[in-house]
Amino acid sequence: MGPPRRSYAVAVFTGLAALCVLFAAYSVLDSIPADPPGDGFAAGLAAGFGLGLGLSGLLVGADAA
């Protein structure tokens, strides 16, 4: 018996999910203003959230590949 094989349908679905997560990360990072009002705490939180989404999207995409 050889190693277990992954289904191509699961890999394709995972790749599409990674693309959706990367698009969401791009949308979050694109919505941050260049000169935020106040001290920029909310913009920093949004940037951290967007970068976290981007990293998770890259990891999911690597898993799909």
Side-chain angles (χ1 to χ4, degrees), residues 15-54:
L16 290 175
L19 287 177
C20 291
V21 171
L22 287 173
F23 179 73
Y26 173 76
S27 296
V28 168
L29 291 173
D30 192 42
S31 68
I32 300 171
D35 188 23
D39 60 356
F41 181 74
L45 284 178
F49 183 68
L51 291 174
L53 275 174

Side-chain angles (χ1 to χ4, degrees), residues 9-25 53-54 56-62 64:
V10 172
V12 168
F13 179 74
T14 307
L16 290 175
L19 287 177
C20 291
V21 171
L22 287 173
F23 179 73
L53 275 174
S56 65
L58 287 176
L59 291 175
V60 169

